[in-house]
Amino acid sequence: MEPTETALIVAVPEAERAVGHFRSALDRAAGWGVPAHVTVLYPFLTPDLITDDVLATLGRIFEATPRFDISFPEVKWFGDTVVWLSPQPDGGLRQLTAAVCQRFPEAPPYAGAHADVVPHLTIGHDAPKHVLAEAAEAVAGHLPIRATVDAVQLIAGAPAPDSWHPLREFRLGTA
C-alpha cells in the first residue's frame, strides 16, 4: 500500500517485551507495523512533501539535540480509554517536538487536536476498560523500563496492516 502519511517517532525497543503482546491486541498502530514508541510529531508532512531539503533540515534539528536517558516508571491513563507509559523526564521529548514544530508550523502535533501534547508510549486504547486495566497491571510489573533516546525515526505508512516502515533515522547529538 502506498504511504499516505508520515510521523516522527522515538522507537523504544526496550519496552517491547513488556508492551508488545498488549499493543498487538490493543493498539491499531502496532498492527500497522509501528513499533513501541513515543511520538515526536504525528502527522508530519505527507510523503510527497518529504524532500531532500526537509530531510536535511530534520537532520540539523536532531543533530543539535543531545541524546538523553529516560525511564518509564509508571502506567497512566487518558480518561478510561487510553492506557500508556509515562516517560520521565519528558523534557527532552517535549524539546524534540517543539524544535520540529518551530521549523514546520504547518504540521502541528495531532493536527492541533490537543492543547498540550503529553509524551507517552501507548499500551492500548479503545477497548473495554477491564481489558485495558488488565494490560496496565501486567505491564506495571515490568517497570521501570529504561532507555536512551539517541535517534528519531521518520516513518511512513497508511492506516492498513503492516504498511508503516522507516524512511530515515536521524541520530541525536552527543551530550
Side-chain angles (χ1 to χ4, degrees):
M1 172 169 270
E2 193 68 27
T4 58
E5 52 191 353
T6 66
L8 293 161
I9 66 167
V10 171
V12 186
E14 298 87 348
E16 285 291 350
R17 188 172 71 85
V19 303
H21 168 74
F22 299 105
R23 286 188 69 244
S24 67
L26 301 172
D27 181 5
R28 71 174 110 17
W32 296 344
V34 180
H37 69 281
V38 176
T39 301
V40 172
L41 187 59
Y42 171 83
F44 186 50
L45 304 176
T46 57
D48 60 309
L49 296 178
I50 304 297
T51 64
D52 289 342
D53 286 344
V54 168
L55 296 173
T57 299
L58 290 171
R60 287 190 296 274
I61 290 169
F62 297 130
E63 189 175 270
T65 305
R67 64 181 181 216
F68 53 94
D69 293 327
I70 57 173
S71 69
F72 296 89
E74 63 183 321
V75 175
K76 291 191 173 184
W77 292 78
F78 292 129
D80 289 338
T81 60
V82 181
V83 63
W84 51 281
L85 292 178
S86 174
Q88 299 298 320
D90 70 0
L93 295 160
R94 288 178 181 273
Q95 178 185 343
L96 289 171
T97 299
V100 176
C101 288
Q102 182 177 3
R103 179 56 188 86
F104 296 96
E106 68 274 28
Y110 300 102
H114 307 287
D116 179 29
V117 178
V118 177
H120 63 281
L121 190 153
T122 300
I123 298 168
H125 56 88
D126 302 322
K129 185 174 181 186
H130 75 277
V131 172
L132 294 173
E134 289 170 11
E137 185 177 335
V139 170
H142 293 276
L143 302 181
I145 297 168
R146 292 177 176 76
T148 296
V149 177
D150 60 4
V152 175
Q153 291 182 7
L154 172 63
I155 61 175
D162 298 317
S163 69
W164 284 81
H165 60 275
L167 294 178
R168 178 77 58 95
E169 182 171 273
F170 302 94
R171 305 300 293 178
L172 298 186
T174 55

